């Protein structure tokens, strides 16, 4: 895809991005909210520099590196993608506390309906905000959401300099092992 124009990016703010979901998934990955590139393309984690797809492969969740346009293939591996907040933005800091709380409420309803074994919050800060859990850390959480066990993962955005692709893959792999054991 060619680089979107500023007008295309601005128009994407009003474009919903469909979830990649099914009932009974092993892991439902939950991003913060769609970025504008995701909204333009309709593909989750589509911004160049986002490490979600490489980390998913390096951690062993997928047998090969998937492109964002191949996101539907995740369902064949028992995986899915949704977001805490549906509204696309250029940056997550454009979201309000009220949007996080409402998104958390809606996510809990969605998870209860879909019944994944694990809900994986891709970005611990968003998880803290959506579920009012300021002490949450990366890794498995004590609580369940909608009946699913919860794992907080690092944010794969290229802006997250605290985690490398390799250290993120190690954390994603810990979740993969836990999901396979449950």
């Amino acid at each position: 895809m060619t680089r979107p124009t500023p007008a295309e990016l601005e128009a994407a703010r009003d474009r919903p991005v469909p979830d990649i979901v099914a009932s009974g998934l092993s892991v439902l990955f939950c991003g913060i909210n769609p970025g504008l590139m995701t909204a333009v393309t309709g593909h989750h984690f589509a911004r160049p520099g986002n490490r979600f797809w490489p980390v998913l492969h390096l951690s062993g969740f997928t047998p090969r590196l998937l492109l964002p346009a191949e996101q539907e293939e995740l369902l064949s591996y028992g995986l899915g993608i949704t977001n805490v907040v549906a509204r696309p933005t250029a940056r997550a800091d454009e979201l309000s506390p009220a949007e996080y709380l409402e998104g958390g409420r809606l996510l809990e309803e969605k998870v209860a309906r879909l019944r994944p074994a694990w809900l994986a919050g891709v970005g611990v800060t968003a998880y803290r905000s959506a579920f009012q859990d300021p002490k949450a850390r990366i890794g498995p959480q004590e609580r369940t959401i909608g009946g699913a066990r919860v794992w907080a993962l690092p944010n794969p955005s290229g802006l997250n300099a605290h985690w490398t692709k390799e250290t993120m893959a190690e954390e994603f792999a810990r979740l993969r092992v836990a999901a396979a054991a449950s």
Side-chain angles (χ1 to χ4, degrees), residues 123-159:
V124 70
T125 303
Y127 171 81
R128 290 175 186 145
S129 298
F131 297 102
Q132 297 182 312
D133 188 356
K135 295 183 180 182
R137 300 285 179 256
I138 297 293
Q141 306 301 302
E142 292 294 321
R143 71 177 295 173
T144 61
I145 294 176
R149 303 231 14 233
V150 178
W151 198 290
L153 293 166
N155 186 337
S157 166
L159 299 175

Side-chain angles (χ1 to χ4, degrees), residues 27-168:
V27 179
L28 177 58
F29 292 96
C30 181
I32 300 168
N33 73 308
L36 297 182
M37 183 66 80
T38 289
V40 167
T41 65
H43 305 129
H44 293 270
F45 301 102
R47 184 171 184 75
N50 190 296
R51 299 168 288 182
F52 178 80
W53 297 102
V55 166
L56 207 61
H57 173 61
L58 287 172
S59 65
F61 270 112
T62 61
R64 66 179 182 83
L65 176 60
L66 299 178
L67 299 174
E70 298 173 300
Q71 65 188 8
E72 294 285 338
E73 193 173 321
L74 288 176
L75 296 174
S76 69
Y77 305 122
L79 308 172
I81 304 176
T82 189
N83 288 288
V84 173
V85 176
R87 182 171 72 90
T89 61
R91 294 178 50 103
D93 62 8
E94 295 176 41
L95 300 173
S96 71
E99 285 178 292
Y100 278 112
L101 290 174
E102 177 65 4
R105 186 188 68 74
L106 294 172
L107 179 61
E108 188 158 8
E109 291 175 2
K110 184 183 301 184
V111 171
R113 187 177 71 252
L114 294 172
R115 315 267 319 139
W118 286 90
L119 175 65
V122 183
V124 70
T125 303
Y127 171 81
R128 290 175 186 145
S129 298
F131 297 102
Q132 297 182 312
D133 188 356
K135 295 183 180 182
R137 300 285 179 256
I138 297 293
Q141 306 301 302
E142 292 294 321
R143 71 177 295 173
T144 61
I145 294 176
R149 303 231 14 233
V150 178
W151 198 290
L153 293 166
N155 186 337
S157 166
L159 299 175
N160 180 0
H162 299 291
W163 290 77
T164 66
K165 194 166 34 174
E166 292 73 24
T167 57
M168 273 189 237

